[in-house]
C-alpha cells in the first residue's frame, strides 16, 4: 500500500476553510457579477502587461487571468482551445467570482485568503473538477496606499505544472503595480494642468473631477453658498466619465441657473477626468403670454435642460427671430418649432417644406416663394440635404424677404443635423448667415428624466389612453440610450401597444431591445443574438443555465453575453 503524500499546511488549512464554507466538492459554483469595471485603474494598468505576457507564452497551453480584489474575473487571455473549453466548463471566465468561499482552494481565492502568492497544483484543489488545472496566483497591491487591487493568475493543465508559473505571476503583479503608479501620476498631472489653465483663462468658477480627485476653485467657493455648491457637485455626476465635451444646466436652490461646460482630459486614450467651467445664466424676463406652458411633449414636467431649450425657441419665435434648430435625428426639432409657433402665433399659417418629400428643386423653390409671398411662416426641414441649386435660389429668396418684399416679414426656421460634417460650406455661407441664432436640441439620453412625461404624451397622441407602465418598466425605459431619440421611443411604444392596448405594462412586456442597456451600436447579427437570449431567458423564467442549453451555449458564454449586452434579468 503506497504512502500518503503529505499536504502542505497552507493547503490543508484552505481545505478546512472550504469545508466550513460548505463548498461543493463535486462541482464549483462561482457566483456571477452582472457588472464588472473593465476600465478601472487596475484593468488599464494590467492590459499592456497581460498583452506582453500572452505574447511571451504564445505557444504554451497557459491562460493569464486578472481578477479584482474579490476574485471576480476581469480578463482572461491566452490558452489553447482545449484549455479554454475546460475553463468554460468550470466557469473560470470573465464575470465569475473565484473566491475560496465559492469554489474552494484555488490560485485566485486562496491567494486572497492567505494574503500572498501561492501555487495550487492539480490534486491540491478542494473541488474535484478543478484538479485538472494548476494555477499560480499573485496579489496586486497599490504601491502607494498598499490597498489590495486584485490578483493575476496563471493557469495551465495539471500535467504541465511548473514552479516557474508562480515566478511569472509575481513578475506580472510587480509590472502591473509599477504601471498603476505611472498612470496615476500622469493622469493627476494632466488633470491638474487643465484645471489650472481653466482657472487662469476663465477667471470664473471652475471644478475638476477624476476617479480620486475633486477640486473647486476659490471663485466658486465664494460665489456659491454651501447649498448651491452641493447642488453643483451633485449635477457633475452627469459629466463624470464623459469622453466628449458637453454643456448642461443646473437649477440651483438659490434660484440661479448655472451653465456647466465640461471638457474631458486625456492622457493618450485614457480619460484622466474633466474640467467644468461654470457660468451663471441670465434668467429671461417672460411676458404673461410666454409664461403659459406651451403644448410641447414633456414640457409640463420638463427637466431643466428641456425647459431651457424650449424657452430659447419661444423667445426667438416671439421676437420673429429666424432660427436654426440643430440636433440628432429624432430629437424633436420639428415638433419643438411647430409647438413654439402655435404657442406664439396661433393664428398664423405655418408651412413645412422638406427636400426629401419634394420631387424637384424647382418645385421646392416655387413652393417656398408662393408660401412666403402669401404671408405664411416657413420651416425648411433637413436643410443640410439641400442641393446647391436650391441653396442659391433660397438665398436669393430670403434676401428679397429681408429687403422688405413682403408687407409683413415672415418667420423662417431651419432644421439641421448636429453633426457638423453634414453641414456643407455652401449651406453655412449662403443660407445660415440669414439666421442669427442656432438652438441645440439635446438628445433624449441627456434628459432621461423627461421619459415618463414623453411616454404619456406620445401614448395620448397615438390614442392609447388605457395603458400605463409599472415602476420597473418605466425605470428600464429611463436607463436606455435611445439611439433614435424620441422617434425611437415612439416606435417602442407602438410595439408595446400592438401587443397590449390596455392595462399595466410590466418589464417582461417590453420589446427585447429594451431589456438590454448596452450603449454601443449593435450589428444586425448582434441584435438578433441579443433578442434570442432575451426570448430564451423569458421562456425559461430567467433560468440562465436552461436558456444556455436551449441556445447551445455554455453557461460562461451566456453570462458573458448577458453582461456585454446589458440584458436585464
Amino acid at each position: 500500500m503506497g504512502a500518503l503524500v503529505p499536504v502542505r499546511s497552507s493547503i490543508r488549512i484552505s481545505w478546512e476553510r472550504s469545508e466550513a464554507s460548505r463548498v461543493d466538492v463535486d462541482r464549483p459554483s462561482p457566483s456571477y457579477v452582472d457588472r464588472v469595471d473593465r476600465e478601472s485603474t487596475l484593468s488599464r494598468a494590467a492590459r499592456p502587461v497581460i498583452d506582453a505576457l500572452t505574447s511571451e507564452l504564445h505557444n504554451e497551453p497557459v491562460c493569464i487571468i486578472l481578477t479584482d480584489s474579490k476574485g471576480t474575473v476581469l480578463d482572461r487571455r491566452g490558452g489553447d482551445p482545449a484549455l479554454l473549453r475546460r475553463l468554460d466548463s468550470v466557469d473560470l471566465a470573465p464575470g465569475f467570482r473565484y473566491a475560496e468561499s465559492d469554489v474552494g482552494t484555488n490560485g485566485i481565492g486562496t491567494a486572497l485568503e492567505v494574503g500572498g502568492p501561492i501555487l495550487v497544483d492539480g490534486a491540491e484543489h478542494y473541488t474535484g473538477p478543478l484538479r485538472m488545472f494548476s494555477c499560480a496566483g499573485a496579489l496586486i497591491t497599490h504601491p502607494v496606499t498598499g490597498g489590495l487591487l486584485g490578483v493575476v493568475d496563471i493557469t495551465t493543465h495539471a500535467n504541465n505544472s511548473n514552479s516557474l508559473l508562480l515566478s511569472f505571476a509575481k513578475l506580472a503583479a510587480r509590472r502591473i503595480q509599477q504601471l498603476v503608479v505611472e498612470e496615476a501620476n500622469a493622469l493627476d498631472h494632466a488633470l491638474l494642468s487643465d484645471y489650472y489653465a481653466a482657472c487662469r483663462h476663465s477667471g470664473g468658477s471652475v471644478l475638476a473631477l477624476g476617479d480620486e480627485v475633486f477640486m473647486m476653485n476659490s471663485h466658486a467657493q465664494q460665489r456659491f453658498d454651501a447649498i448651491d455648491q452641493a447642488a453643483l457637485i451633485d449635477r457633475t455626476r452627469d459629466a463624470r466619465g464623459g469622453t466628449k465635451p458637453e454643456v448642461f444646466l443646473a437649477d440651483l436652490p438659490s434660484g440661479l441657473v448655472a451653465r456647466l461646460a465640461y471638457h474631458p482630459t486625456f492622457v493618450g486614450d485614457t480619460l484622466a477626468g474633466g474640467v467644468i467651467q461654470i457660468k451663471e445664466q441670465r434668467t429671461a424676463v417672460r411676458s404673461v403670454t410666454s409664461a403659459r406652458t406651451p403644448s410641447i411633449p414633456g414640457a409640463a414636467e420638463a427637466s431643466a435642460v428641456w425647459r431651457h431649450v424650449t424657452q430659447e425657441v419661444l423667445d426667438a419665435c416671439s421676437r420673429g427671430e429666424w432660427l436654426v434648430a440643430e440636433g440628432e435625428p429624432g430629437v424633436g426639432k420639428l415638433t419643438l418649432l411647430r409647438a413654439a409657433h402655435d404657442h406664439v402665433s396661433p393664428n398664423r399659417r405655418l408651412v413645412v417644406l422638406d427636400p426629401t418629400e419634394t420631387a424637384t428643386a424647382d418645385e421646392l423653390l416655387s413652393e417656398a416663394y408662393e408660401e412666403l409671398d402669401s404671408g405664411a411662416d416657413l420651416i425648411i426641414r433637413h436643410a443640410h440635404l439641400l442641393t446647391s441649386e436650391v441653396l442659391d435660389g433660397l438665398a436669393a429668396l430670403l434676401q428679397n424677404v429681408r429687403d422688405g418684399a413682403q408687407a409683413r416679414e415672415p418667420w423662417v426656421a431651419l432644421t439641421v443635423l448636429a453633426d457638423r460634417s453634414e453641414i456643407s460650406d455652401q449651406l453655412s455661407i449662403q443660407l445660415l448667415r440669414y439666421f442669427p441664432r442656432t438652438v441645440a436640441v439635446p438628445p433624449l439620453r441627456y434628459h432621461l428624466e423627461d421619459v415618463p412625461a414623453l411616454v404619456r404624451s406620445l401614448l395620448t397622441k397615438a390614442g392609447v389612453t388605457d395603458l400605463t407602465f409599472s415602476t420597473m418598466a418605466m425605470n428600464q425605459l429611463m436607463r436606455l440610450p435611445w439611439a433614435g431619440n424620441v422617434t425611437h421611443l415612439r416606435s417602442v411604444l407602438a410595439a408595446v401597444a400592438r401587443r397590449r392596448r390596455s392595462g399595466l405594462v410590466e418589464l417582461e412586456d417590453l420589446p427585447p431591445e429594451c431589456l438590454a442597456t448596452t450603449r454601443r451600436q449593435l450589428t444586425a447579427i448582434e441584435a438578433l443574438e441579443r433578442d434570442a437570449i432575451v426570448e430564451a431567458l423569458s421562456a425559461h423564467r430567467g433560468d440562465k443555465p436552461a436558456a444556455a442549453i436551449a441556445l447551445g451555449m455554455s453557461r460562461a458564454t451566456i453570462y458573458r453575453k448577458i453582461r456585454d449586452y446589458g440584458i436585464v434579468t
Side-chain angles (χ1 to χ4, degrees), residues 286-338:
R286 302 180 185 180
S287 66
V288 174
T289 301
S290 65
R292 293 183 287 112
T293 301
S295 56
I296 296 174
E301 302 170 33
S303 63
V305 171
W306 191 251
R307 288 200 307 272
H308 177 73
V309 73
T310 299
Q311 194 59 49
E312 274 196 282
V313 176
L314 285 170
D315 289 345
C317 193
S318 63
R319 292 196 299 270
E321 186 177 57
W322 290 8
L323 179 71
V324 176
E326 71 170 19
E328 296 177 6
V331 295
K333 301 182 290 294
L334 180 60
T335 300
L336 184 58
L337 292 173
R338 275 177 163 160

Side-chain angles (χ1 to χ4, degrees), residues 147-481:
L148 178 61
L149 298 177
V151 174
V152 61
D153 172 89
I154 300 180
T155 293
T156 186
H157 301 286
N159 57 0
N160 292 331
S161 182
N162 189 305
S163 59
L164 289 177
L165 288 179
L166 190 57
S167 297
F168 269 116
K170 290 191 287 187
L171 177 60
R174 287 196 297 272
R175 287 180 181 173
I176 292 169
Q177 288 171 181
Q178 291 168 0
L179 290 181
V180 167
V181 172
E182 291 175 14
E183 181 189 80
N185 289 341
L187 296 179
D188 289 348
H189 183 271
L191 182 59
L192 190 62
S193 177
D194 283 0
Y195 170 70
Y196 282 145
C199 290
R200 286 195 304 271
H201 295 154
S202 74
S205 299
V206 180
L207 306 178
L209 56 152
D211 283 343
E212 304 292 338
V213 175
F214 182 89
M215 294 179 283
M216 177 184 290
N217 70 351
S218 58
H219 187 283
Q221 295 175 39
Q222 293 168 7
R223 182 65 192 88
F224 301 103
D225 62 25
I227 296 175
D228 276 0
Q229 287 180 32
L232 286 169
I233 292 170
D234 182 67
R235 193 70 174 88
T236 61
R237 289 183 301 178
D238 292 344
R240 188 177 294 275
T243 58
K244 294 181 180 180
E246 61 176 296
V247 176
F248 49 97
L249 301 176
D251 287 327
L252 303 181
S254 64
L256 293 172
V257 176
R259 178 182 182 273
L260 285 73
Y262 168 81
H263 294 274
T265 294
F266 287 93
V267 175
D269 293 331
T270 301
L271 180 69
V275 174
I276 296 177
Q277 297 186 37
I278 306 170
K279 291 185 178 180
E280 295 171 30
Q281 294 285 95
R282 181 176 60 84
T283 303
V285 179
R286 302 180 185 180
S287 66
V288 174
T289 301
S290 65
R292 293 183 287 112
T293 301
S295 56
I296 296 174
E301 302 170 33
S303 63
V305 171
W306 191 251
R307 288 200 307 272
H308 177 73
V309 73
T310 299
Q311 194 59 49
E312 274 196 282
V313 176
L314 285 170
D315 289 345
C317 193
S318 63
R319 292 196 299 270
E321 186 177 57
W322 290 8
L323 179 71
V324 176
E326 71 170 19
E328 296 177 6
V331 295
K333 301 182 290 294
L334 180 60
T335 300
L336 184 58
L337 292 173
R338 275 177 163 160
H341 180 273
D342 291 346
H343 181 72
V344 172
S345 306
N347 298 320
R348 285 188 56 80
R349 194 161 66 89
L350 177 68
V351 176
V352 178
L353 297 183
D354 188 337
T356 66
E357 298 175 356
T358 307
T360 66
D362 286 341
E363 287 179 4
L364 191 146
L365 286 171
S366 176
E367 190 172 354
Y369 178 84
E370 290 174 5
E371 296 296 352
L372 290 174
D373 191 53
S374 71
D377 293 334
L378 181 66
I379 295 174
I380 300 175
R381 194 182 187 195
H382 299 140
H384 53 279
L385 299 179
L386 295 173
T387 64
S388 298
E389 181 183 356
V390 174
L391 286 171
D392 289 339
L394 279 177
L397 178 58
L398 295 180
Q399 185 60 56
N400 285 338
V401 173
R402 285 296 193 207
D403 291 341
Q406 277 79 20
R408 177 194 180 281
E409 184 173 299
W411 181 68
V412 183
L414 309 178
T415 75
V416 298
L417 288 181
D419 185 354
R420 304 311 297 177
S421 65
E422 297 287 342
I423 308 299
S424 67
D425 291 339
Q426 191 173 7
L427 173 62
S428 298
I429 294 170
Q430 291 190 245
L431 212 58
L432 296 188
R433 63 191 179 93
Y434 293 104
F435 297 82
R437 177 184 286 200
T438 295
V439 173
V441 183
L444 184 53
R445 62 183 176 276
Y446 287 178
H447 57 112
L448 289 170
E449 59 267 50
D450 291 331
V451 166
L454 277 167
V455 167
R456 289 194 297 273
S457 175
L458 293 170
L459 286 176
T460 300
K461 198 169 183 180
V464 182
T465 57
D466 297 326
L467 201 60
T468 56
F469 283 72
S470 71
T471 300
M472 287 185 65
M474 186 61 74
N475 287 343
Q476 180 62 16
L477 293 181
M478 294 175 70
R479 292 190 190 101
L480 300 175

Side-chain angles (χ1 to χ4, degrees), residues 10-31 70-71 90 92 97-114 118 120 122-131 135 153:
S10 57
I11 297 297
R12 177 179 53 79
I13 295 170
S14 174
W15 285 357
E16 291 172 357
R17 287 194 301 265
S18 302
E19 184 178 19
S21 298
R22 297 185 178 182
V23 173
D24 188 340
V25 296
D26 295 320
R27 178 167 180 79
S29 300
S31 55
K70 295 181 180 179
V90 294
L92 184 45
R97 180 170 291 162
Y98 251 66
E100 194 181 74
S101 58
D102 283 340
V103 298
T105 306
N106 73 94
I108 296 166
T110 304
L112 291 170
E113 286 291 341
V114 302
I118 192 167
V120 179
E124 293 181 327
H125 287 88
Y126 180 78
T127 302
L130 295 184
R131 292 172 188 164
C135 48
D153 172 89

